[in-house]
Amino acid sequence: MAESINDVKHRIASTKNTRQITTAMQMVSTSKLSQIQKHSVAYEEYVSRVKAVVMHLAQSHLLDSLNSSSNANSQKNGKTAYLVVTSDRGMVGSYNSNVIRETNNFIKEHTPNEDDYIILAVGSNGADFYKKRGANVAYEYNDVSDVPTFKEIQEIVKTVTSMYDDGVFSKLYVCYTHFVNRVSSTFRAEKMLPMDSEAFKEDASNDIKPAEINAEYDIEPDESAVLDVVLPQYAESLVFGAILDAKTAEHSSSSSAMKSASDNANDLISSLELRYNRARQAAITTEITEIVGGQEALKH
C-alpha cells in the first residue's frame, strides 16, 4: 500500500510540473497573439486599399490584357501551385491537421491528378507532410517569425513570382487558416496568380463589393507603368496578409491547446489527489486495525 501511495504522489508532482509548463506556454502564446493582432489591425487597412485598386483594374480588364500579353510563357506548363501555410512547431492543437486536411480536399476538387500540381510549403509541418507522401514540394520556407516582417515575406513572393514567370506553374492558390476570433478559425484558399478578373470572382473572402467600385480610370503615364507598381504590391500584400493571418490563428490555437492541457492537468491532479487521500486513509485504517488487533492479542 505504501508503494502505491508513493506512486500516486509521484504522479501528482509530475502532473503539477507539466501544468506549470503548459500554463507558461499558454501565457507566451497569448502574449504573441496580442502582439500580432496589433500588427494585423494596422495592416488590414493597407490591404483593403490595395485590393480596391487592383479590383478596379480587374473590372477595367487591364489585368486580363496584361496576362494575355506578358504571361504567355507561364501558361505553357499548365500546373497549379498550392502555397500551404502551416507552423514550424507542434503543440498548436488541430491547427496544422485542419489546414492540411482542407488543402487536400481543395486540391482533390481542383486538381485530382497528382501530376497537375506542385506544393509550395511555408512551415515545416506542411513540408514534411507532403514530402513523406511523395508530393512534388517545389519550394520550402521554414522558421517564419512569430510576428512576421514584411521583409521576410518579400523573399517568398520574389521566389514564387519568379517560378511563375519561368513557367514552373500557371496558377497559384494560397491556402491558410484565417483567424476569426480567439475561439474560431476558418480555412481559406485564395487565388494569387494569374492576377485577372477571374481571381476576384473566386476570392470569397473579399470584403469589397463590386457595386462599391467605380471601374473607370484615367491612367498616367500609361497602363503598364501603373501595373508595374501596383501588381507587385498586391502580390506581396496578399501573401504577407495570409501568413500574418495564419500566424495569428496559430498563436490562438496554441493558446487554446495549452489552456486545454492545463485544464486537463487540473482535472487529473484532482483525481490523483482523491486517490492519494483514499489510499492514505486506507493505510491508516489498516495500521489502526493491526494495532488494535495486537492489543487484543496481548490481553489473552
Side-chain angles (χ1 to χ4, degrees), residues 104-134:
N104 289 341
N105 291 338
F106 188 82
I107 291 174
K108 288 179 182 177
E109 180 181 350
H110 290 77
T111 49
N113 190 339
E114 292 184 3
D115 295 330
D116 292 339
Y117 70 87
I118 61 174
I119 299 295
L120 312 178
V122 176
S124 59
N125 273 277
D128 292 343
F129 175 87
Y130 286 106
K131 284 191 290 188
K132 286 178 181 177
R133 283 154 183 78

Side-chain angles (χ1 to χ4, degrees), residues 88-105:
D88 291 299
R89 60 192 179 94
M91 297 187 178
V92 290
S94 59
Y95 171 81
N96 289 310
S97 59
N98 284 345
V99 68
I100 289 173
R101 183 184 66 252
E102 293 295 339
T103 298
N104 289 341
N105 291 338

